Amino acid sequence: MNSLGILAERRVDRVGALERFRQALDISRQTGDRRNEAIDVGNVGRLCLALGDRSFAQRNLDRALRLVRENGDRATEPPFLVGSSELMLRQGDSDRALALARSALDT
């Protein structure tokens, strides 16, 4: 499902991509796959940001970062740090946006 979400996102079908990522998230939760759950939550957050739902985007991006850190999977952090950076920039917090972007580069 996650791959189908990525494909839909590349085709600029954001609503379709969001639906696929949510389906992937349900599967990850049902199977207890914490690594993919973190990725799926982050992908939902990124898509919510692209669709303009900043509040839901922030909750999901924050949760994704918490999950990847709990899992010790630092390699999956950068896209969610970049998403969080973009969110902060859209909210006018350029200092926090820059810190998050630098953190993504350092990971």
Side-chain angles (χ1 to χ4, degrees), residues 42 44 47 49-50 53 84 99:
V44 167
L47 260 292
L49 180 59
D53 189 341
S84 295

Side-chain angles (χ1 to χ4, degrees), residues 6-104:
I6 292 168
L7 181 60
E9 189 176 11
R10 287 185 181 159
R11 291 182 167 189
V12 194
D13 177 9
R14 291 182 175 142
V15 173
L18 182 58
E19 179 59 30
R20 298 302 176 274
F21 290 141
R22 285 182 171 156
Q23 290 171 347
L25 177 57
D26 287 342
I27 292 168
S28 294
R29 286 180 175 156
Q30 289 170 7
T31 60
D33 185 342
R34 301 276 294 170
R35 181 178 190 275
N36 280 320
E37 179 182 353
I39 292 168
D40 299 334
V41 168
N43 286 336
V44 167
R46 288 185 316 96
L47 260 292
C48 287
L49 180 59
L51 291 168
D53 189 341
R54 293 180 186 174
S55 176
F56 198 65
Q58 184 165 17
R59 283 195 307 269
N60 280 274
L61 289 167
D62 289 347
R63 184 158 187 271
L65 285 168
R66 242 185 349 268
L67 287 170
V68 297
R69 290 171 180 160
E70 286 173 10
N71 296 339
D73 190 11
R74 289 190 49 98
T76 57
E77 277 187 46
F80 311 130
L81 289 166
V82 169
S84 295
S85 174
E86 182 180 345
L87 177 64
M88 291 298 108
L89 194 58
R90 288 185 186 192
Q91 292 177 339
D93 189 345
S94 57
D95 291 336
R96 181 76 179 130
L98 181 59
L100 287 162
R102 285 186 174 148
S103 183

